[in-house]
Amino acid sequence: MGIKTYQNYHVINLWELDVNLVFEHNLSSLLPFVPILKGGGNESIVRQAVIELRANETLTDLEPLLSFFAGFVLDIPLVQQIMRWDMTILRESPWYQQILKEGLETGEKQGLQQGLQQGLQQGLQQESRKLVWKLIDRRFGTLSSDFSLKINRLSITQLEELATELLDLTEINQLENWLQQNSESGNIPLS
């Protein structure tokens, strides 16, 4: 049919739009964005936006959005004072409940993952340490507390390296040299 349609649009950055246009031309749909408009980041302008939002029954649900943007340019206690919000009522709002629920879920997941990872790391280190102690005990018998301290400070990687070395070591001084080299090079952490 050869019919073509075009739609032209122009992106308007809200921070470039003068806040006075909202009030002069009664652009009520922009009231929640007043704090981030050019010249809208002061207390008296935000108070005026709150008054106009509350005057229009269809827009009163947008008050939390206004407070959200006001929080970027004003102190939170001042925003609470302007909005005259009781935190108990706010905590009962669906938005607050959803944000709280998502925060708790995210925190639980991250905490669980971190705990599992740390537990796995510690378990691997314990098992590596047990293997090294079995090899040492079999090869050299009971060692002094100085040796024990140095070996207990080894990382998993170092314990694995030592286990491999222990297959070739035949004398206690070779073990002592290996531990000395690794502790001198800073590879053995102090804690």
Side-chain angles (χ1 to χ4, degrees):
M1 296 177 95
I3 299 174
K4 293 182 181 179
T5 58
Y6 295 96
Q7 182 175 357
N8 293 327
Y9 64 92
H10 177 72
V11 175
I12 299 172
N13 295 321
L14 289 176
W15 54 90
E16 295 173 356
L17 187 64
D18 190 329
V19 72
N20 294 320
L21 292 174
V22 173
F23 298 112
E24 290 170 3
H25 297 289
N26 198 23
L27 301 172
S28 56
S29 61
L30 291 179
L31 285 171
F33 304 100
V34 159
I36 59 172
L37 298 177
K38 186 177 182 180
N42 67 55
E43 181 181 348
S44 62
I45 298 291
V46 173
R47 285 186 187 277
Q48 185 179 353
V50 169
I51 291 168
E52 291 196 23
L53 268 179
R54 289 180 179 160
N56 187 334
E57 286 184 30
T58 61
L59 299 177
T60 56
D61 290 340
L62 296 177
E63 194 173 326
L65 187 58
L66 172 62
S67 69
F68 172 77
F69 286 115
F72 288 111
V73 295
L74 301 173
D75 292 331
I76 299 299
L78 179 59
V79 173
Q80 289 173 333
Q81 178 192 2
I82 292 170
M83 302 295 174
R84 286 182 273 139
W85 279 0
D86 179 359
M87 287 308 289
T88 307
I89 295 170
L90 180 61
R91 284 186 193 104
E92 293 172 5
S93 75
W95 281 28
Y96 182 87
Q97 294 301 320
Q98 183 63 29
I99 290 169
L100 182 62
K101 179 183 172 190
E102 289 176 13
L104 288 173
E105 287 173 359
T106 302
E108 286 174 5
K109 287 178 186 175
Q110 288 174 345
L112 183 61
Q113 287 174 342
Q114 191 175 25
L116 286 173
Q117 193 172 23
Q118 285 177 343
L120 180 61
Q121 192 76 7
Q122 288 173 352
L124 286 172
Q125 192 163 12
Q126 274 184 328
E127 290 305 311
S128 298
R129 194 172 287 123
K130 279 183 187 177
L131 174 64
V132 165
W133 278 115
K134 284 180 182 178
L135 290 170
I136 289 173
D137 197 37
R138 185 167 187 138
R139 177 82 62 178
F140 304 112
T142 305
L143 299 178
S144 70
S145 60
D146 186 42
F147 277 110
S148 299
L149 193 64
K150 287 181 180 180
I151 291 169
N152 286 335
R153 290 181 178 171
L154 296 174
S155 69
I156 292 174
T157 306
Q158 291 169 321
L159 287 167
E160 290 172 356
E161 290 172 13
L162 179 56
T164 304
E165 287 292 319
L166 283 168
L167 297 173
D168 297 326
L169 299 179
T170 55
E171 296 181 21
I172 192 80
N173 66 344
Q174 292 173 314
L175 174 60
E176 188 176 1
N177 289 338
W178 188 93
L179 288 170
Q180 189 66 32
Q181 287 174 343
N182 284 285
S183 64
E184 285 177 2
S185 64
N187 290 336
I188 298 178
L190 296 174
S191 59

